[in-house]
Each structure stands twice: as structure tokens, then as C-alpha cells.
Amino acid sequence: MEDGDGVASARMALLDNGSLEMVKVVYCMVSDINLEGLDTVKTGSCRRFFGGRRLWRRRIVENEDIKKSQFPDGFLFGTATSAYQIEGAYLEDGKSLNNWDVSIIFKVDDADIADDHYHRYLEDIEIMHSLGVNAYRFSISWARVLPRGRFGEVNPNGVLFYNNIIDNLLLKGIVPFVTIHHHDFPQELEDRYGSWLSPLMQEDFVHLAKTCFKSFGDRVKYWTTINEPNLFSEMAYIMGKYPPARCSAPFGNCSVGNSDSEPLIAMHNMLLGHAKATKLYREQFQAKQGGFMGMVASAFMYEPLTDNELDREAANRALAFHVAWNLDPLVFGDYPPEMRHYHGSELPRFTPEEAKYIKGSIDFIGINHYSTLYAKDCIHSSCIEGGDRAIRGFAYLTGERDGVPIGEPTGIPRFFVVPRGMEEIVEYVKKRYCNMPMYVTENGYAPPKQEAVQVQDQLHDVKRIEFHKAYLASLARAIRNGANVRRYFAWTLMDNYEWVRGYSLKFGLHYIDRQTLKRIPKLSATWFQNFLTNSSFNNEQVVNTSSFTGKNVLISGLEDKKTEI
Ligand code: FCB
């Protein structure tokens, strides 16, 4: 039986009792999707999709050039940032200290000044305008708007700052996409009750969301509540690398924490905080403001390490324990059955009342996609590095097969350049969530350590161009294949404070001189501008044979830039 829109098909499904059974899977009818408004879908008929062999059978052709015209009309291209990574002004105009400001663990740099966006936002908006983007994804600094959370007043200076950003974006014809919470929150909320480990944090988050809807909702139509709850839970509560730095062996060596259970609790509170904020928006604001709500999940792709059935199942489990952990509750009202089966009572439950309002609590899905990893089965064979734990779905994740990396390595150990992964993950999300509207809210490239690399060479970032071209081509294939993807945000506008890796890791289309904070466009900024404006140039020249696709890369119209590498 073939899969397809409006087609019912039979699939093997893992049931709560652990057995496999044939189930009927019904996909949305194409007519359920409003292609004009671009943003609504009825999820009523959507049933879970459980991966399966077919995902791995397809061989994907990667060598392909990419043009903006290959994307549907109305597709928005933008750049993405987050407050803590760029704003600086860490104690100005009433902002309080947040979890990152006070964290001393694993910090190589601080973000006290960061890119000084707080004082230079007009220049940054001008840069985006000249790039030609028509959308900008940024986040709100919780400690700037509500320095004491629910326990104090709204900071008018914080509200003014974001009002200025929103107004100036709109003046330039750039659509604001606001992330309400992206990894940073007032430290007081940690000190008072342990932040996301407590249900009290849900109320604080709703208070922040309400403040945002009230203050900005007349102009902001696209909201994502929380950025990557799955990655934040992993980094803060499994690995203990993000504040509050809690973990247990074998995942890390923290003084407190429990890597097997706390991430599940933190995620549960984030999902409920999201659902309550969405409920509030829909009841009190949506009719008047007419906006859309989404959530952003970190979305790695996982492929089986070997071609055997057990590793295929491990890859499906890895997807369920990483991506579906975050997204299933928002669409179906509960965690993936695979997680229920392997976690047992440790996995929190939604009350019937909660299940009702968490189900269908998104109008669109945001995915941040960077990389693909291999998954190896750890149920039937022994594994290291926590692969043999339920929290990892009994899957060992690795970027290498027989010593050969899955793609070219980058500046982050688990990030490899695997362009086909974009098509594969979009296909997975499309199938599992009934092809509801999907936005690629982050995708970008950071080269291996740049400290020793001359500025001129950092500016000549051919690999970043190759990366975006190859991933965009992969995305375009998914769209041609029916995926309902509407936006793409490049991470990121400019080099910035990359969390625990500080300023050494550079994802930016613009270079920042750390002494003067001057913004300097890299070659990739010029490429993106050309891509966005559909410019054609006379002086095309072959710059390199792409190491990602094995194809010659054409860089156009850059005669004033250095071209040798
Ligand atoms: C994502 C984060 C973003 C940035 C990129 C590289 O997980 O959302 O802030 O750090 O990774």
C-alpha cells in the first residue's frame, strides 16, 4: 500500500504493551490544508507514523544547484538569532541577571557585551534589509522584560527595546518571528523553585507569554513559545552542560541531578507551559491579533548504523526519543508510545484535562536542523556512553561508521555536514504530523576552530555557502515531494556567543570584530543576498570543488572579494 495524502494505509505500530501490531494510518487530505493562508491545518485526522524501513531505502541525489525560484510563492527566507547570544547590555536599563549570566560552569567567555545588539539593533536591521531577507527570528530576553518573573513588575525599558525592534523590522518589510523563550530566564526563578524542574515555572512562562502578547501581539503574528525544549533538557539535565548543570553518571560528573529522570520532568513542564500559553493566546488574543503559535524542536536526523533491522529500529527510536518526545504531545496529546513503553512510570503523564489542551496546541512546527547521526541498537547488544539507558531510547548515537564520518566534520563534534538529512527529517516530520505547516527555524554551519584562522580567510567562507546551498537544495526536494514547508531561517545573522563554546564557534553570515564590534559581511552574506534577490552576474567563476557534494561550486559576482582559498 502506498503512502500519500488522504490515503489510509496499514503499518506496524508499537503498542503500549510493547507488541507490534498492524494499525491503520490515515494521512490528512490535501484539502485540510489552507494553502492560501499558509498557516492552518486540521490535525483531527492525523495519526502517528512510526518510521519504518521505507525512510532508509531511498537514495537521495545531492548534486543540484539551488535558486530561490525553486521555492513556492510566499516562502519566507530569514535569519535567526537569540537574545542572550547577541544583545549584551547584561545589566542595563533594568535587566536582571539570568541563568547564563551567573553560570560559571563550562563558560569560556561571557556574553556581557556579546554583539552589543542592544545598542546596535538599528544597524543590524539595516544589514538584514540589505541582505534582502523578508523575515527575522529573534527571542525575548526574559530577564529584560520581567526581571523578577511573576514576582516583580514589567520592565518598560525592556518592552521599549523589543517594540523598537519590531517597529523597525516592519518599516523595512521584514516579518518578525518571535521566540518567547530561548534558553535564558531570570536567575531568581532558579533560586526560588528550581526553574523547569518545578510546575511553578509553567505559571512564570505563561506570565511572560501574556506580557509579550499584550505588548507586541498587535504587530507580531508568528510566535514560537520555547526554543528546543528537547535540546535544552538534554544539555541542562542529561549532560549538565547548560545551567543549571545537573546530571548523573555515566552522562556527566555534576554535583547534583539525575540524568535518567530530570530531563523528562523539565520537558514536561516546558510542554505544559507552552500549552497553557497557547490556550491563553487562543482564548484571549488570537481573535483580535490573528497570529499563529508554534514550538521549535531540535531535529537531528538519525540513520541506522548498519543495514540490519535492529539498527533500523534503533534509528526510529532515536527519532522518537529526540524529535517526537518534543512534538508528539503537541499534536497527539501524549508522548510517543515507544517512550511510554521503555520509560514506564518514570515518564510523566498528562491529566485528561491537560491532554485536551496540549493536543493540537501548535499551528506550525518549527525544526532546527543541523546534522545527521548514525544510531546503533543497544537493546540486543552492549553499548557505551549511556546508549544502554532508556533516556537515550537504547540507541547509541555516533557520527562514524567504521571510522568514516557520516559527513564532513564541523566545529561541533556531533554536527556533520549531511545535506540529505534535511530532506529525510522533513519527510519524517511531514509523515508523522500529517504534513502540518513546518518552518525550518534554524540551519547553519560553523567551521572547525577558527582562532588560528586569519580574518580574511574567515570572511572567505566558501564552505558555509556550500552548506546552505546543499541543505536548501535538499529542502527544495522535500517540498517538491509535497512537504508543507513555508519558511527557512539561516542560523545566524552574525557570529555571536555560542553558549558554552563562547565566541570561538562561528555560525555567522557576518564576522564581528571583537575589539570594535564592527560587522563585516562574509562571502556567504553576499551569496545569500544574491540568492534572495535572484541576482544574476556576469563574472561567474569556479571557486572550488565542493567537499560536501563533490561538485564544482560557482560563486557569482564577487569580483571585489578574495576568491582563492
Ligand atoms: C541551536 C540553538 C541556537 C544555536 C545553534 C547553533 O541548538 O537553538 O541558539 O546555538 O544551535
Side-chain angles (χ1 to χ4, degrees):
M1 210 176 295
E2 240 332 288
D3 302 336
D5 289 320
V7 175
S9 63
R11 288 211 166 279
M12 294 298 284
L14 179 67
L15 302 181
D16 275 2
N17 65 9
S19 62
L20 282 171
E21 210 176 272
M22 294 297 273
V23 293
K24 196 175 162 207
V25 181
V26 184
Y27 295 103
C28 286
M29 300 294 292
V30 172
S31 57
D32 285 347
I33 297 162
N34 172 356
L35 290 170
E36 264 166 27
L38 296 182
D39 289 292
T40 51
V41 65
K42 289 179 203 152
T43 52
S45 62
C46 190
R47 300 284 182 275
R48 280 190 181 94
F49 164 71
F50 290 90
R53 279 167 166 271
R54 195 168 167 271
L55 213 54
W56 324 120
R57 284 222 204 99
R58 309 183 47 213
R59 275 287 135 250
I60 290 167
V61 189
E62 298 206 331
N63 293 352
E64 192 183 330
D65 206 7
I66 185 72
K67 294 208 169 49
K68 192 182 164 206
S69 56
Q70 288 169 258
F71 291 85
D73 289 346
F75 197 97
L76 299 184
F77 288 94
T79 49
T81 63
S82 89
Y84 191 67
Q85 294 179 271
I86 61 169
E87 284 180 8
Y90 82 115
L91 264 188
E92 268 178 63
D93 296 340
K95 176 183 166 292
S96 69
L97 292 174
N98 66 30
N99 51 334
W100 287 88
D101 291 321
V102 302
S103 162
I104 44 163
I105 302 176
F106 295 114
K107 261 173 81 161
V108 288
D109 292 309
D110 65 51
D112 294 359
I113 298 175
D115 291 349
D116 197 29
H117 175 72
Y118 187 72
H119 298 112
R120 296 169 195 242
Y121 66 91
L122 283 178
E123 182 187 346
D124 293 336
I125 291 173
E126 195 47 59
I127 289 173
M128 282 186 261
H129 181 54
S130 58
L131 269 185
V133 297
N134 44 22
Y136 175 46
R137 173 174 179 249
F138 64 98
S139 79
I140 305 290
S141 161
W142 195 332
R144 199 180 292 291
V145 168
L146 287 166
R148 303 195 55 212
R150 270 179 300 152
F151 307 98
E153 299 303 312
V154 174
N155 174 19
N157 297 321
V159 171
L160 178 67
F161 172 60
Y162 295 110
N163 270 332
N164 287 339
I165 291 184
I166 292 162
D167 289 345
N168 282 286
L169 287 171
L170 292 172
L171 272 177
K172 300 284 181 189
I174 300 173
V175 181
F177 282 70
V178 174
T179 308
I180 297 172
H181 170 47
H182 190 128
H183 297 355
D184 58 314
F185 53 79
Q187 178 60 20
E188 183 167 344
L189 308 183
E190 184 65 45
D191 297 341
R192 272 182 186 264
Y193 52 71
S195 72
W196 287 115
L197 287 181
S198 164
L200 294 173
M201 191 69 161
Q202 298 171 28
E203 309 314 319
D204 260 295
F205 178 72
V206 172
H207 184 62
L208 170 68
K210 186 170 187 179
T211 307
C212 290
F213 303 148
K214 270 200 206 156
S215 311
F216 316 126
D218 55 336
R219 287 147 297 146
V220 171
K221 303 300 163 207
Y222 297 96
W223 298 99
T224 54
T225 49
I226 303 180
N227 180 67
E228 298 183 337
N230 53 347
L231 181 115
F232 188 78
S233 301
E234 149 114 27
M235 297 303 285
Y237 298 100
I238 299 181
M239 305 305 291
K241 291 191 173 170
Y242 284 8
R246 298 175 66 95
C247 67
S248 57
F251 298 99
N253 185 20
C254 304
S255 53
V256 280
N258 181 337
S259 298
D260 294 307
S261 60
E262 287 188 354
L264 300 174
I265 297 166
M267 171 63 102
H268 199 68
N269 285 320
M270 286 191 254
L271 291 169
L272 283 171
H274 153 91
K276 287 179 181 172
T278 302
K279 187 168 181 288
L280 177 96
Y281 184 73
R282 288 179 175 167
E283 286 170 3
Q284 296 183 23
F285 296 92
Q286 198 161 36
K288 195 149 167 237
Q289 300 186 341
F292 301 100
M293 298 293 291
M295 199 185 216
V296 171
S298 161
F300 276 78
M301 183 60 203
Y302 299 102
E303 294 180 353
L305 180 64
T306 69
D307 195 30
N308 80 34
E309 189 58 34
L310 292 177
D311 285 350
R312 277 196 215 109
E313 280 169 18
N316 283 334
R317 275 201 308 280
L319 284 162
F321 279 69
H322 172 62
V323 183
W325 177 32
N326 198 149
L327 297 178
D328 266 26
L330 309 176
V331 179
F332 305 119
D334 198 7
Y335 293 108
E338 299 92 322
M339 291 190 75
R340 282 252 167 262
H341 175 67
Y342 289 109
H343 277 300
S345 60
E346 210 145 39
L347 188 64
R349 293 212 169 260
F350 297 105
T351 65
E353 171 66 13
E354 288 167 348
K356 242 190 256 159
Y357 63 77
I358 195 168
K359 180 177 175 170
S361 64
I362 41 173
D363 301 312
F364 63 88
I365 290 172
I367 58 163
N368 292 350
H369 177 68
Y370 290 88
S371 180
T372 299
L373 293 170
Y374 294 122
K376 169 185 170 336
D377 170 66
C378 300
I379 295 178
H380 303 271
S381 56
S382 59
C383 284
I384 51 165
E385 292 173 19
D388 52 353
R389 308 290 269 245
I391 195 73
R392 287 276 186 254
F394 298 105
Y396 171 68
L397 308 175
T398 172
E400 287 188 0
R401 178 190 279 156
D402 300 330
V404 181
I406 187 168
E408 181 156 332
T410 72
I412 302 188
R414 294 222 148 181
F415 283 28
F416 297 86
V417 181
V418 188
R420 66 175 181 276
M422 175 67 92
E423 186 181 1
E424 290 174 347
I425 191 69
V426 166
E427 186 74 9
Y428 174 81
V429 173
K430 167 185 140 188
K431 290 238 168 83
R432 188 154 181 128
Y433 304 111
C434 213
N435 207 11
M436 66 182 296
M438 195 191 318
Y439 304 167
V440 176
T441 37
E442 286 180 28
N443 173 236
Y445 170 78
K449 285 262 183 247
Q450 293 286 280
E451 280 102 343
V453 180
Q454 296 289 313
V455 175
Q456 267 313 312
D457 294 327
Q458 292 191 41
L459 294 176
H460 194 69
D461 58 340
V462 173
K463 292 225 164 182
R464 181 168 291 104
I465 299 172
E466 288 180 33
F467 177 96
H468 282 289
K469 287 179 77 167
Y471 273 71
L472 278 167
S474 184
L475 177 61
R477 283 194 298 273
I479 293 173
R480 279 201 297 279
N481 205 21
N484 192 11
V485 182
R486 316 296 181 76
R487 288 96 180 78
Y488 173 88
F489 292 88
W491 184 271
T492 178
L493 177 63
M494 51 200 172
D495 291 341
N496 58 40
Y497 179 77
E498 184 43 50
W499 308 115
V500 285
R501 293 188 168 80
Y503 300 102
S504 65
L505 205 63
K506 295 164 191 278
F507 277 92
L509 299 171
H510 293 81
Y511 172 87
I512 304 270
D513 180 318
R514 298 269 3 122
Q515 253 64 54
T516 63
L517 296 172
K518 190 168 179 240
R519 284 86 165 114
I520 306 170
K522 300 182 190 173
L523 202 58
S524 56
T526 313
W527 167 78
F528 201 38
Q529 185 185 43
N530 293 350
F531 170 82
L532 292 173
T533 52
N534 288 320
S535 302
S536 57
F537 292 88
N538 298 327
N539 289 344
E540 282 200 333
Q541 54 194 140
V542 176
V543 171
N544 196 10
T545 299
S546 165
S547 46
F548 303 154
T549 61
K551 201 186 162 198
N552 284 337
V553 179
L554 296 176
I555 308 290
S556 313
L558 303 168
E559 50 278 72
D560 56 336
K561 312 270 176 175
K562 186 178 170 214
T563 50
E564 72 279 6
I565 40 177

